[in-house]
Amino acid sequence: MPGKKTPRSVQSSPQGFRGKGGETHQTAGGDVPVLTTQQGSPVSDDQNSLRIGARGPALLEDAHFREKIFHFDHERIPERVVHARGFAAHGFFETYEPLTDITRADIFARKGERTPAFVRFSTVAGNKGSPDLARDVRGFAVKLYTQEGNWDIVGNNIPVFFIQDPIKFPDLIHAAKEEPDRGFPQAATAHDNFWDFVSLTPESTHMLMWAMSDRAIPRSLRFMEGFGVHTFRLVNAEGRATFVKFHWKPKGGMQSVVWNEAVKLNGADADFHRRDMWAAIQSGDFPEWELGLQLFDEEFAKTFAFDVLDPTKLIPEEQVPIRRVGRLVLDRVVDNFFAETEQVAFMTQNIVPGVDFTNDPLLQGRNFSYLDTQLKRLGGPNFVHLPINAPKCPFAHFQQDGHMAFHNPKGRANYEPNSWGGAAGGPRESPKHGFVTHPVEESGAKLRARPERFADHYSQARQFYISQTPVEQGHIRDAFAFELGKVETLAIRLRVVSHLLNVDGALAAAVAEKLGIAKLPAAAEPARPIRTDLPPSSALSILLNPPPNFGGRKVGALVTDGTDAALLTALRSVLEAEGATLELVAPSIAGIVASDGNTIAAHHALVAAPSVLFDAVAILPSTDGAALLATMPAARDFLADAVAHCKFIGHVEAAGTLFAKIGVPTDDGGFVPLRGAADATGFVVRCRAMRFWDREADLPPPRPTSAGPTKPHKKQA
Ligand code: HDE
């Protein structure tokens, strides 16, 4: 408007664009701040770039346009070379009891103290936009903002790793990620390069058993364990060190999906895990884990069957029990995904006084890699100035300058020793409070070699396998068959089977059979005798450690006009009391008119909500509704998948016509009749078992094994 003074906006605080005293426009939506350039100059027109005449050439002097496009062109930072796809949340760690006898770490000094935490979960192989339910290891990286600095426990949801020496990490990751000539497959190890590498690297065998197990397809990031993997040290004030392995135990128990479900979930909701975590936190159902410590001394390390520095081995909980020392609660989603989840820089070398490394070669290699990678990803040495990476305790040092330096010390002293004295002289080292490396004696020749005790690659792989229930063993067998079914080169398939023969003969035979291998290859030559005396460890099985209840889970109710309103209300209240949720899936997103005449909104339209989104389903149509559903292919898929994925299926009598039409046999114990509101409780009690595994009828009969007698756990009731 000619003559009208342009309103000024003050962009000030890093929190937002509406600074104190900033001028605003009145709009229909209320007061909004005036749009400005990054330099703070108010913008009059953000719809049209500057031109000579409406149809004329663009002008280089259009600073607003140039700044806007320049910034857009530089929005991306390199994604992580591994663990690119991740999801994170804020929370806290609460210490149960002081652990001062074991460690001087400040975080463990006071009972009940809460330390801020930030946790990022991830897949390993897929790119940033890959689906959540890829069969993959999950990263479980925890940043603890302690009073004595940031402590990062950069772990995984699997307690062992593929390789023993960090020099092989680039090879492993190259082989696992998309093949370089074709750029696919993405977020999948089911291809020749991966299986070629791991089959030529027998130390991978133990990890492969885990990666082919249900651990690699978790139902939720909330329902998986985390592990620090390496052996670390805890050191007390007297300088006494204790070896430690870190464990995160989910309060909601462990749960995974089945592979066919994972495949479908990736299509139905590629963001299934991140949405689940977001929704849980936003609804106040805060995900929680307990920190467990496996503590042991040099004496144990010497007598243990394997080297505690070998990251392809674990220590069974039966041998070194887990002591639970605190809880980790995630109670806040990020404000901005890029600023926090993308820019967070986890580093294994971030430890604090009271914690120390061991010589685990993989850990030592990681300590180099994580600092290095941040420079590439975040673009300069000042990434610790970013709020998400900055310590929350006081810090003071003489490091200065560099790209994007936000914390710039005042005063003259930027070196030490200096003679400026007092506060003007800046910070000084503290022999008393500072980090002291545990003084381990080391000697030996410089060489490139592995310890002899690292060379047993099969015994613990076998122990893991025999620790699984028959259902879980079946899943492992099927996963090998699936992945190797995608491998084009027969020699690679045979090589994998030759390793499996050293794990369990029946497993190898079953995989070979599924792959149509008529004659089993010879077993791979083991470098050390395979131990067949390691007993099953029930802690290694998911199904032998069921969740405490159905809390945090979700039932999808298929409803239509005329659905029994009282039953729906009862089901909702029983589920709420359990800590679970009920979501309504209706023929249309507009919802339904229930039996009491009330209109109820739907959470999902049937076509957009396959049953893979739910832990259990309830089929609750009216008689007319059942007839309508019977005509809908999506209803058939909803039900057929729920059956195939062994879910509990609650149902009203009217659903019978639908079952008959679709041809689903309903006589197994996984179908729970809901004759009225009173049956809701019984249904939810059944759901606590999570899945009705008896439906997976084709479990292979036990067969003799080449690596010794297999004593699998008894099939579950
Ligand atoms: Fe990592 N790893 N890693 N890794 N890793 C990275 O660091 C590396 C290993 C793990 O959410 C990178 O910031 C080497 C084991 C997690 O930001 C990189 C070796 C375990 C995350 C890197 C390993 C992990 C990473 C890529 C073998 C479980 C994601 C981006 C010596 C104990 C952290 C980054 C996040 C990320 C290197 C092996 C867990 C390149 C060299 C073993 C959870 O530095």
Side-chain angles (χ1 to χ4, degrees):
M1 216 187 288
K4 184 172 181 277
K5 200 166 164 256
T6 315
R8 280 201 65 226
S9 147
V10 182
Q11 182 205 326
S12 58
S13 73
Q15 278 81 31
F17 286 88
R18 186 204 289 253
K20 202 175 163 214
E23 291 181 49
T24 55
H25 273 318
Q26 283 284 334
T27 68
D31 287 352
V32 293
V34 169
L35 181 74
T36 72
T37 65
Q38 288 208 62
Q39 305 290 343
S41 169
V43 172
S44 63
D45 182 346
D46 194 40
Q47 319 304 320
N48 304 291
S49 55
L50 193 64
R51 291 185 280 270
I52 298 178
R55 300 182 62 245
L59 287 179
L60 210 54
E61 74 172 64
D62 188 349
H64 169 50
F65 166 75
R66 281 181 57 206
E67 179 197 82
K68 187 174 175 183
I69 292 294
F70 149 81
H71 199 275
F72 173 75
D73 290 344
H74 297 274
E75 275 179 7
R76 286 289 167 276
I77 60 173
E79 66 174 38
R80 289 163 173 82
V81 59
V82 282
H83 297 266
R85 180 159 180 89
F87 196 70
H90 295 273
F92 61 86
F93 176 77
E94 187 176 275
T95 306
Y96 287 163
E97 297 293 339
L99 295 179
T100 37
D101 54 327
I102 298 162
T103 174
R104 60 170 281 208
D106 186 73
I107 187 175
F108 297 124
R110 292 162 296 277
K111 177 185 166 118
E113 180 156 308
R114 290 187 172 188
T115 301
F118 189 66
V119 183
R120 184 175 181 272
F121 303 97
S122 47
T123 52
V124 179
N127 295 336
K128 210 175 151 228
S130 53
D132 279 352
L133 262 294
R135 173 177 291 284
D136 201 352
V137 183
R138 297 299 182 290
F140 194 125
V142 182
K143 192 180 278 293
L144 298 160
Y145 302 90
T146 87
Q147 289 301 309
E148 289 197 331
N150 290 350
W151 177 23
D152 296 354
I153 305 177
V154 196
N156 278 343
N157 75 330
I158 289 179
V160 291
F161 201 62
F162 290 103
I163 49 170
Q164 296 172 327
D165 193 305
I167 203 168
K168 298 312 294 170
F169 191 65
D171 299 293
L172 167 73
I173 299 304
H174 287 178
K177 290 190 81 127
E178 61 271 27
E179 299 190 357
D181 52 353
R182 59 210 70 184
F184 61 82
Q186 225 240 114
T189 50
H191 60 110
D192 285 47
N193 276 9
F194 176 75
W195 287 98
D196 188 32
F197 175 80
V198 292
S199 63
L200 293 169
T201 310
E203 72 210 51
S204 301
T205 310
H206 186 194
M207 177 74 166
L208 284 173
M209 300 303 297
W210 286 79
M212 293 303 112
S213 80
D214 295 344
R215 298 264 179 169
I217 39 174
R219 146 71 175 87
S220 162
L221 303 170
R222 301 178 287 142
F223 304 145
M224 59 185 206
E225 293 186 322
F227 303 91
V229 176
H230 314 283
T231 299
F232 289 84
R233 282 189 173 90
L234 292 177
V235 186
N236 71 10
E238 287 79 51
R240 186 170 55 82
T242 310
F243 287 126
V244 62
K245 281 195 181 267
F246 299 112
H247 297 248
W248 296 106
K249 295 280 189 185
K251 275 280 188 71
M254 283 187 279
Q255 190 188 341
S256 286
V257 299
V258 295
W259 175 239
N260 179 274
E261 196 179 2
V263 169
K264 290 174 175 164
L265 267 169
N266 283 336
D269 185 1
D271 304 308
F272 186 69
H273 280 158
R274 48 179 65 190
R275 195 186 306 279
D276 167 90
M277 175 71 75
W278 174 274
I281 295 175
Q282 294 293 57
S283 73
D285 181 13
F286 301 139
E288 191 170 327
W289 289 261
E290 285 186 302
L291 176 63
L293 306 181
Q294 270 184 309
L295 297 162
F296 55 97
D297 57 15
E298 292 277 1
E299 237 8 78
F300 173 86
K302 274 189 211 137
T303 54
F304 183 54
F306 305 96
D307 196 321
V308 299
L309 301 184
D310 176 354
T312 66
K313 308 295 188 300
L314 54 80
I315 303 177
E317 289 183 28
E318 289 78 1
Q319 265 180 286
V320 178
I322 288 187
R323 177 166 163 190
R324 298 182 187 224
V325 299
R327 66 188 188 118
L328 172 72
V329 179
L330 299 182
D331 60 359
R332 184 160 61 88
V333 298
V334 297
D335 289 327
N336 181 276
F337 187 90
F338 179 84
E340 296 155 72
T341 311
E342 196 58 13
Q343 293 199 125
V344 65
F346 291 98
M347 299 195 289
T348 50
Q349 66 271 37
N350 281 355
I351 54 171
V352 290
V355 182
D356 209 345
F357 307 119
T358 61
N359 286 346
D360 177 334
L362 212 59
L363 175 59
Q364 295 289 334
R366 293 178 73 198
N367 287 345
F368 168 76
S369 178
Y370 287 69
L371 178 59
D372 199 40
T373 206
Q374 308 312 344
L375 187 66
K376 172 75 184 169
R377 234 166 45 73
L378 299 169
N382 289 322
F383 59 86
V384 188
H385 295 202
L386 295 169
I388 194 67
N389 294 323
K392 296 191 193 298
C393 64
F395 55 92
H397 51 75
F398 292 112
Q399 294 163 34
Q400 67 173 29
D401 302 351
H403 285 292
M404 310 290 171
F406 283 96
H407 308 303
N408 300 299
K410 296 193 172 110
R412 191 169 184 182
N414 61 353
Y415 60 93
E416 69 89 35
N418 64 54
S419 61
W420 301 117
R428 287 290 192 272
E429 64 209 11
S430 165
K432 184 157 174 260
H433 297 293
F435 179 90
V436 179
T437 294
H438 186 60
V440 187
E441 298 268 351
E442 302 287 2
S443 67
K446 282 188 193 173
L447 42 77
R448 295 179 185 272
R450 300 210 188 166
E452 179 56 28
R453 277 213 297 166
F454 277 34
D456 177 348
H457 303 315
Y458 301 111
S459 302
Q460 278 208 346
R462 172 181 170 72
Q463 184 177 33
F464 176 78
Y465 186 68
I466 64 169
S467 300
Q468 307 301 308
T469 61
V471 167
E472 293 169 300
Q473 289 184 339
H475 293 171
I476 293 171
R477 176 199 63 210
D478 292 349
F480 272 105
F482 174 89
E483 297 257 323
L484 295 173
K486 297 273 186 187
V487 168
E488 290 164 9
T489 309
L490 175 61
I492 298 175
R493 284 182 236 141
L494 290 171
R495 210 185 298 135
V496 176
V497 173
S498 77
H499 292 299
L500 292 183
L501 280 163
N502 288 337
V503 176
D504 183 275
L507 168 67
V511 171
E513 189 182 318
K514 282 186 172 272
L515 293 171
I517 295 171
K519 187 172 173 303
L520 281 177
E525 191 67 44
R528 302 251 304 189
I530 302 164
R531 292 190 57 165
T532 56
D533 59 336
L534 302 179
S537 161
S538 57
L540 303 180
S541 155
I542 295 176
L543 296 185
L544 292 175
N545 297 281
N549 53 42
F550 198 59
R553 274 68 177 184
K554 215 190 262 186
V555 170
L558 191 48
V559 293
T560 63
D561 284 346
T563 283
D564 180 347
L567 175 57
L568 217 47
T569 307
L571 211 46
R572 185 177 292 114
S573 78
V574 176
L575 282 166
E576 267 170 21
E578 185 85 356
T581 44
L582 180 71
E583 289 189 357
L584 303 191
V585 181
S588 143
I589 191 64
I592 58 158
V593 179
S595 62
D596 60 0
N598 285 328
T599 300
I600 308 179
H603 295 91
H604 310 271
L606 176 55
V607 284
S611 60
V612 291
L613 299 182
F614 309 105
D615 297 287
V617 298
I619 314 297
L620 311 176
S622 61
T623 308
D624 289 350
L628 169 73
L629 291 176
T631 66
M632 297 178 72
R636 187 192 55 222
D637 291 350
F638 188 94
L639 206 54
D641 276 347
V643 173
H645 303 148
C646 300
K647 287 178 182 167
F648 285 99
I649 300 173
H651 63 93
V652 292
E653 205 182 332
T657 34
L658 179 63
F659 297 153
K661 183 106 192 220
I662 291 169
V664 179
T666 57
D667 50 356
D668 72 33
F671 283 79
V672 185
L674 294 167
R675 283 168 292 258
D679 286 341
T681 304
F683 172 59
V684 176
V685 168
R686 295 300 311 281
C687 287
R688 287 180 189 157
M690 301 296 155
R691 300 290 165 112
F692 181 69
W693 293 118
D694 286 2
R695 242 182 244 142
E696 279 190 352
D698 65 337
L699 299 178
R703 282 186 244 183
T705 70
S706 65
T710 296
K711 288 192 210 118
H713 284 284
K714 287 227 156 46
K715 196 170 167 201
Q716 284 164 280

